[in-house]
Amino acid sequence: MMAGRGAHMAAVGGPARHIPVMLSEVLHALEPKSGAIIVDGTFGAGGYSKAILEAADCEVIAIDRDPEAVAAGRALAAEFPGRLRLVAGRFGAMDEIVKRQGVETVDGVALDLGVSSMQLDEPERGFSFMKEGPLDMRMSKEGPSASDIVNTLSAGELAEIICKLGEEGRSHAIAKAIVARRAEAPIETTKELSDIVARVLGRKRDEAKHPATRTFQALRLYLNDELDELARGLSAAERLLKAGGRLAVVTFHSLEDRIAKRFFASRSTPARGSRHLPDSTAQALAPSFRLLNRHPIEPNQSEIRQNPRARSARLRAAERTAAPAHGLDLSALGVPQISFGM
Ligand SMILES: C[S@@+](CC[C@H](N)C(=O)[O-])C[C@H]1O[C@@H](n2cnc3c(N)ncnc32)[C@H](O)[C@@H]1O
């Protein structure tokens, strides 16, 4: 699925305002207290930041890589003078970002992955096959666009992206069709790409998902380096959180959730055979988190009814222990490795 969500409340002529997903569950996991400093690594429309600031007399350092989200968030910062710092950047570098703010450790980190409703529902951003627009998909509005990718990579490279990041079984056929079509004219719009994919896959009558769903997800994840970012963000949060601090992560599709699941599993169980290791090694591998829930939390039916884009959300949350942070191992976390650079 495409990982964006937020109910359809579009004001006439504008994109829908993002509705925060599993807000009360995330707040419950973070447990903000007076004097705490919490990182909201995916500010978006500021739904989580606002609720955290209202829940306790704490501070929020909010990060978003989308300059439009950061600019729109200035109004919220003005509502909470001196309590909301908004930074344009990537959450994969949150420890450097937070340290540049003069803060060494924090009490909580929230990550709400994927794209916001503002991004998904704004045709100009090119994230959705449901809206005709330029084939863009860049969260940060910098670097190569999805159109650059589909018009320049080889068929083999496109197939690798679509297979590994979209888990699409017909990736080679789709890549071949893209290369054949661009030989006539460059592929420049979301509709052009979704039509190419739909022609290859056809559409079964009972199919709930649009045939282009997986291909669009794959290009978006590749272009924005989203899965590597997730692994780096989890690892940065592990370094930043003080003992007793909370990490809450909301995922929206299986590739994201696998990374979060493996991260929390590897950090919450003692390494095999650690009883027989020298003290210093056992200490380095000691659990750095205690899970708050054994299984991920899912949204309730009433939230899904009100906000259908919440339906695939999974919340995983844990409390930091005093053990040292572990090293980052992308392949152990299940981050798909792409064999060529961007
Ligand atoms: C689902 S929205 C967050 C919505 C937010 N929780 C709210 O309640 O309004 C995800 C946001 O995270 C941002 N984002 C995604 N990946 C990011 C990254 N690696 N670093 C910083 N921001 C990121 C996107 O630009 C988007 O604005």
Side-chain angles (χ1 to χ4, degrees), residues 73-302:
R74 302 275 175 231
L76 188 64
E79 278 180 44
F80 295 93
R83 294 178 56 207
L84 172 60
R85 299 185 238 188
L86 258 171
V87 186
R90 290 178 299 101
F91 62 61
M94 76 172 86
D95 47 349
E96 291 147 41
I97 291 174
V98 166
K99 286 190 175 131
R100 257 184 267 131
Q101 298 289 318
V103 172
E104 288 301 313
T105 56
V106 300
D107 303 276
V109 174
L111 293 177
D112 177 22
L113 302 171
V115 285
S116 67
S117 296
M118 293 80 70
Q119 292 165 330
L120 194 63
D121 293 342
E122 177 60 70
E124 281 302 307
R125 302 298 302 265
F127 282 105
S128 173
F129 45 78
M130 308 289 281
K131 320 242 170 198
E132 166 108 61
L135 191 57
D136 190 317
M137 300 196 200
R138 295 168 301 172
M139 288 182 183
S140 63
K141 304 183 104 181
E142 294 176 328
S145 66
S147 168
D148 295 330
I149 300 294
V150 298
N151 287 307
T152 55
L153 293 189
S154 69
E157 290 169 336
L158 287 169
E160 183 177 345
I161 292 173
I162 297 168
C163 169
K164 289 186 176 167
L165 300 180
E167 299 186 305
E168 168 60 71
R170 307 275 322 277
S171 59
H172 284 280
I174 294 170
K176 230 172 112 187
I178 289 175
V179 170
R181 163 65 176 71
R182 78 187 189 202
E184 294 160 23
I187 301 162
E188 283 170 349
T189 71
T190 48
K191 177 138 192 334
E192 284 167 6
L193 180 62
S194 72
D195 285 351
I196 295 167
V197 179
R199 267 198 299 277
V200 174
L201 298 185
R203 186 166 197 168
K204 295 192 196 93
R205 209 178 288 220
D206 55 350
E207 188 108 68
K209 278 185 183 174
H210 187 284
T213 306
R214 293 171 185 279
T215 299
F216 270 63
Q217 171 186 298
L219 289 170
R220 199 199 85 206
L221 292 182
Y222 174 71
L223 203 65
N224 295 290
D225 197 20
E226 285 180 51
L227 299 179
D228 286 56
E229 261 297 301
L230 171 57
R232 286 193 291 265
L234 294 170
S235 175
E238 183 186 28
R239 292 190 294 277
L240 260 187
L241 282 165
K242 59 179 69 153
R246 298 283 180 91
L247 173 58
V249 185
V250 180
T251 65
F252 288 86
H253 55 78
S254 56
L255 291 171
E256 282 173 352
D257 194 53
R258 184 173 71 192
I259 294 169
K261 179 178 175 180
R262 288 195 184 179
F263 176 83
F264 283 127
S266 67
R267 266 60 175 180
S268 61
T269 41
R272 211 174 292 152
S274 58
R275 276 182 301 140
H276 309 295
L277 294 171
D279 278 357
S280 57
T281 317
Q283 168 70 15
L285 297 173
S288 54
F289 281 99
R290 178 183 71 78
L291 299 186
L292 295 179
N293 303 91
R294 251 168 70 79
H295 299 292
I297 302 175
E298 299 180 13
N300 60 40
Q301 285 307 315
S302 118

Side-chain angles (χ1 to χ4, degrees), residues 32 212 291 314-315:
L291 299 186
R314 302 280 176 277
L315 166 65

Side-chain angles (χ1 to χ4, degrees), residues 303-319:
E303 175 167 4
I304 294 172
R305 265 196 307 277
Q306 284 168 34
N307 184 8
R309 287 181 188 172
R311 68 190 175 281
S312 51
R314 302 280 176 277
L315 166 65
R316 295 181 184 271
E319 184 175 85

